[in-house]
Amino acid sequence: METIRKTGASIARIAVYLLAALVFLLPLIRLLLMGVTVENGYGLDNFAGLLSQERTRKAIVNTIIIAVSSTALAAGCGSGLAFLTAYCNIKRKGVIEFLVLLPFIIPSYIITLSWSSFFSSRGAFNGFLTSIGLPGVDIYTMGGIILVLGFCNIPIVYVNVVHMLRKIPRDMEWAARACGYSQRQAILKINLVSAAPAIAAGSVLAFLSAIDNFSVPAFLGISSGIPVLSTYIYENAIGFGPNAFPLAAALSMILSVIAAAGTMLEGFFVKRGASMDSIKEDYSVRIHLKNPLRLCLEWGTLVLLLILNIIPMAAMTASSFLKAYGLDFVPENLTLKNFAFVFHNRGVMSAIHTSLTLAVVTTLVCIVAGTAIAYGKLRKKSRAAALLEKCASLTYAIPGIVLALSMIFHWVEPIPGVYPGIYGTINILVVAYITRYLVLQIKGSTIALLSVEPAIEEACAASGRGFWIKWIKILIPLVAGPILSGAFMIFVPAFTELTLSSMLASAGTKTIGLTIFNYQQGGDYNLAAAMSVLITILVVAGYCLLNRDHLTSVKQEENGYEPTYTAGYKNLQQNPGPQGN
């Protein structure tokens, strides 16, 4: 009997290794091979040809300039807001944190649409500027892309820094004060120095998110002729020329090298701050500001965040009610036909149904598989489970456009002579989404299972209860809440995803993100705005529903405010990846 059990375990282990290779590793190997494929075999001719083209060099330079500049913007704003909410005695921290996290909750392509509506050449803001003799603001420029990307990545820096600031022991500050330091000196020499690795790690994450982001440069850069690597890969892949795929693969390898270097750098900074991982966060106030300064900072921050978040959204909402793009917002130009089109158009409803199906299936599979992998890693000390986690982390860390391209190369013929027939169907999107987001659930389930004492399971086994009773009666009731909260981080990105679907969706398969992208690129801005408004309402309502008990400053001061998205994202700091669509 023991021999049979060991044989079964060995077969299962080998099956897991083969699965990891087939789903996670072979697509990337195929991409590597495609990148060096030339007419006479293998070589570096693709890279030489690409780098000799001015557009390629321009795309690389644009990518670096946009990523570095937007990262500087996100790092400055995110760190400052984190310091304000973590240490100062301002009120309404729940509202402030909610507004800070909005760009993290709402898809970046919807944020881009809102900003382009606000800075429309025929919009109220640019109309006001021209009326007083000032030039209008053109969002379809490098500066516009940097602004929107920097704004979208503020939450990434904020989440990393705010948790680290709260973990810095107050004893260190008191010791500095006892040595004669002023509060300002203690903050500068103790707190900010201790938080420096988190600031650096958050900044690198923002950089990775910027080079990965497809939607912002696609919405603002394609029409204005501003190439970056993500959109340049897309252009080459859909070109369908004789060398389209090898050239796109070579470009993907260039982008992956940048991403890999950033990931290793981020890991270095995370390890420097790992000594505080076990410290419980302290939500108490450390800097007591006088009322005039406190009110000025509190309301100034709220007004600024409202301007950055709400006014562009309001401009997009207003454009969704207009009969045509560029009309004045007056009663005779208003209509509900854009929303009627969204609700009654068969293509739009099919896109919503497809995205909802993909999100539900992806979330359910990730919950089951991610929890099983986490359990095997923690309780069984399984090397196979640990390998699956590392492979899943790899596919999450690489840019989405690179993963999409590798899926195309791999799943046409994953094994020589085997044609599964999933390419060109919705099934390849299911596989791509699960491959992309599985590590999020592994991390979330790991944190949930760590909160359960192994002694409880041992007591269950000692009482003669079996495997299923242990899970149904003990583990599932204890871990269901945290696991479902973490699953929100999978459902929302999968529901609103654009990058993977832009490359993998067939002509008959449309998703929400791809439909909005097509409307915007086709000039149907009002339809894109109407659809974006509805998606924003759904996403924000879901977020508020999950955090309904934590969106008040009173709750925060009493119990510590930690939104679902923030709490879930904190678990990824050891294995982060790009976040944007």
Side-chain angles (χ1 to χ4, degrees):
M1 191 68 181
E2 182 67 19
T3 303
I4 295 175
R5 187 187 68 81
K6 288 183 177 181
T7 303
S10 299
I11 294 173
R13 193 179 303 112
I14 293 172
V16 170
Y17 291 149
L18 293 176
L19 179 66
L22 178 67
V23 176
F24 298 104
L25 299 180
L26 283 181
L28 302 180
I29 295 174
R30 286 286 182 88
L31 177 70
L32 177 65
L33 292 176
M34 183 63 73
V36 296
T37 298
V38 294
E39 291 183 3
N40 301 321
Y42 298 104
L44 301 178
D45 293 353
N46 294 328
F47 295 94
L50 283 170
L51 294 175
S52 66
Q53 298 176 13
E54 183 182 353
R55 187 169 176 81
T56 303
R57 296 194 298 271
K58 187 177 180 181
I60 295 173
V61 171
N62 287 347
T63 300
I64 294 174
I65 291 175
I66 289 172
V68 171
S69 302
S70 63
T71 297
L73 176 61
C77 296
S79 301
L81 289 166
F83 183 85
L84 192 65
T85 55
Y87 285 170
C88 298
N89 62 331
I90 60 172
K91 298 180 180 179
R92 301 171 182 84
K93 290 183 179 180
V95 177
I96 290 174
E97 192 152 33
F98 170 72
L99 292 173
V100 171
L101 291 176
L102 264 184
F104 196 58
I105 303 165
I106 301 172
S108 58
Y109 57 84
I110 292 181
I111 294 174
T112 307
L113 270 178
S114 69
W115 280 82
S116 61
S117 298
F118 179 64
F119 287 118
S120 168
S121 58
R122 301 178 183 178
F125 182 75
N126 275 334
F128 169 75
L129 290 180
T130 54
S131 67
I132 60 174
L134 296 176
V137 177
D138 185 7
I139 195 72
Y140 295 91
T141 60
M142 286 271 288
I145 297 174
I146 291 169
L147 174 66
V148 176
L149 271 179
F151 176 69
C152 290
N153 292 334
I154 286 175
I156 297 176
V157 180
Y158 173 87
V159 169
N160 276 270
V161 177
V162 75
H163 290 301
M164 179 60 74
L165 288 174
R166 288 169 178 159
K167 287 181 177 181
I168 297 173
R170 300 198 70 177
D171 295 352
M172 296 171 65
E173 298 176 40
W174 293 333
R177 296 296 298 276
C179 293
Y181 281 37
S182 65
Q183 185 179 52
R184 178 175 173 274
Q185 291 174 321
I187 292 293
L188 289 174
K189 295 182 179 294
I190 303 297
N191 298 71
L192 293 185
V193 170
S194 300
I199 296 173
S203 299
V204 175
L205 277 180
F207 177 85
L208 293 174
S209 180
I211 65 170
D212 169 69
N213 194 290
F214 169 77
S215 57
V216 176
F219 275 62
L220 299 180
I222 289 179
S223 60
S224 53
I226 303 174
V228 297
L229 282 174
S230 59
T231 57
Y232 194 35
I233 292 170
Y234 174 77
E235 292 171 7
N236 276 272
I238 66 174
F240 296 110
N243 295 320
F245 281 150
L247 292 178
L251 284 170
S252 297
M253 291 171 64
I254 295 173
L255 184 60
S256 297
V257 168
I258 299 174
T263 301
M264 289 188 290
L265 184 62
E266 193 277 338
F268 168 76
F269 289 124
V270 166
K271 288 180 180 178
R272 288 194 61 185
S275 58
M276 293 191 181
D277 283 347
S278 60
I279 300 177
K280 185 178 179 180
E281 293 183 26
D282 180 3
Y283 287 81
S284 61
V285 173
R286 305 194 188 191
I287 300 177
H288 293 270
L289 304 172
K290 294 182 179 179
N291 272 339
L293 181 57
R294 179 186 64 80
L295 289 172
C296 181
L297 280 175
E298 178 184 322
W299 286 103
T301 303
L302 278 172
V303 169
L304 179 62
L305 290 173
L306 285 171
I307 290 173
L308 293 175
N309 283 286
I310 306 303
I311 291 182
M313 286 292 172
M316 182 181 70
T317 304
S319 69
S320 69
F321 288 99
L322 294 176
K323 294 178 180 179
Y325 177 72
L327 294 178
D328 294 332
F329 192 78
V330 292
E332 56 267 25
N333 292 334
L334 303 183
T335 182
L336 292 175
K337 288 184 178 180
N338 296 321
F339 290 96
F341 180 88
V342 169
F343 283 111
H344 294 97
N345 181 267
R346 183 176 298 179
V348 173
M349 297 310 296
S350 175
I352 294 174
H353 179 266
T354 300
S355 289
L356 186 60
T357 302
L358 287 169
V360 170
V361 171
T362 300
T363 303
L364 291 177
V365 172
C366 286
I367 287 176
V368 175
T371 303
I373 293 170
Y375 186 83
K377 180 186 68 172
L378 289 177
R379 297 291 193 261
K380 305 298 183 181
K381 307 300 180 185
S382 169
R383 286 181 292 179
L387 174 66
L388 278 175
E389 182 184 16
K390 291 178 180 178
C391 292
S393 300
L394 177 63
T395 54
Y396 184 74
I398 64 174
I401 199 78
V402 176
L403 178 63
L405 202 60
S406 69
M407 290 283 159
I408 294 174
F409 300 149
H410 176 65
W411 286 106
V412 173
E413 188 183 3
I415 301 173
V418 177
Y419 302 92
I422 67 171
Y423 177 66
T425 69
I426 192 175
N427 294 328
I428 195 170
L429 287 174
V430 173
V431 173
Y433 284 14
I434 293 171
T435 304
R436 179 72 164 170
Y437 299 121
L438 179 60
V439 70
L440 303 183
Q441 192 59 57
I442 296 175
K443 294 296 179 182
S445 296
T446 298
I447 298 299
L449 289 169
L450 283 173
S451 66
V452 179
E453 286 292 337
I456 298 177
E457 299 175 52
E458 295 168 2
C460 177
S463 65
R465 303 288 180 171
F467 175 83
W468 293 109
I469 295 297
K470 175 179 69 175
W471 274 95
I472 294 172
K473 296 291 186 181
I474 297 176
L475 289 179
I476 291 180
L478 290 175
V479 302
I483 286 177
L484 291 177
S485 294
F488 182 74
M489 286 189 66
I490 297 175
F491 181 85
V492 172
F495 184 61
T496 60
E497 205 279 331
L498 171 61
T499 306
L500 294 174
S501 55
S502 67
M503 294 284 289
L504 299 175
S506 62
T509 304
K510 300 297 181 184
T511 62
I512 287 174
L514 191 55
T515 301
I516 293 175
F517 176 65
N518 288 337
Y519 282 148
Q520 192 269 348
Q521 292 293 299
D524 294 319
Y525 300 109
N526 302 97
L527 293 178
M531 199 167 175
S532 298
V533 168
L534 296 176
I535 299 306
T536 301
I537 291 172
L538 288 175
V539 171
V540 174
Y543 173 85
C544 292
L545 184 64
L546 285 173
N547 293 280
R548 60 189 180 276
D549 295 331
H550 301 287
L551 287 176
T552 63
S553 58
V554 174
K555 283 283 184 183
Q556 178 177 355
E557 291 170 3
E558 291 176 356
N559 304 322
Y561 172 74
E562 188 167 25
T564 300
Y565 238 63
T566 308
Y569 184 83
K570 178 177 61 176
N571 301 336
L572 300 178
Q573 292 178 10
Q574 295 297 327
N575 253 314
Q579 303 294 322
N581 273 310

